[in-house]
Amino acid sequence: GIDGTAANTLDDYEEGTWTPVFSTSAGSSVAGYSGNSYNYTKIGNTCTIYGYFHSIAWASITDGTYLQLQGLPFASSGYSGVSTPYSQGNLGGFYVESSGSVALFLNKDTGSEFNQGDAVPTGNRMMLSLTYRTT
């Protein structure tokens, strides 16, 4: 017995890949990286992205302000945050801004966003799984 009423059916299911970009809010310089597993799953208005990154070249970011993970597959409908299950150095996690399509990096030592002019993350490896609500 499956309840087929509209409230109990999936209105959308999608799987795919996404293209992550490490940059700043100015976006004119980016950090190179290697890795794999840049996948997403979207069910209804909820999207989960996955990624494993290594050899991140933070020093190649030379302008802008907040460090961002750009290229999220869908725009966000609200704020959401996540800790990274594995990261070297002082990278503590991310949060997605409401109505945005980027995630901002958080410093686990200070709890605030990384500002390119102040400091860049230490370490060059991380894995992430980030779930957020979409528009």
Side-chain angles (χ1 to χ4, degrees):
I2 297 175
D3 183 356
T5 60
N8 296 318
T9 58
L10 293 175
D11 61 354
D12 183 26
Y13 180 87
E14 183 178 336
E15 292 180 341
T17 59
W18 62 291
T19 304
V21 176
F22 296 111
S23 186
T24 62
S25 56
S28 58
S29 64
V30 299
Y33 62 88
S34 297
N36 56 35
S37 300
Y38 313 126
N39 301 306
Y40 72 85
T41 302
K42 182 176 180 283
I43 302 173
N45 65 353
T46 303
C47 181
T48 301
I49 61 170
Y50 309 93
Y52 168 64
F53 306 91
H54 60 85
S55 305
I56 304 169
W58 299 114
S60 59
I61 296 178
T62 58
D63 66 347
T65 53
Y66 296 122
L67 292 177
Q68 300 177 339
L69 175 60
Q70 300 176 339
L72 300 183
F74 302 94
S76 168
S77 67
Y79 286 92
S80 59
V82 66
S83 295
T84 53
Y86 167 75
S87 68
Q88 288 179 319
N90 59 356
L91 181 63
F94 305 89
Y95 74 90
V96 178
E97 290 187 306
S98 182
S99 301
S101 58
V102 300
L104 280 74
F105 291 90
L106 294 174
N107 185 325
K108 74 178 178 185
D109 296 330
T110 66
S112 62
E113 300 92 343
F114 280 104
N115 188 329
Q116 189 274 332
D118 299 333
V120 295
T122 58
N124 65 2
R125 295 180 179 269
M126 72 172 167
M127 296 177 210
L128 73 87
S129 169
L130 186 150
T131 300
Y132 65 99
R133 302 277 273 197
T134 65
T135 54

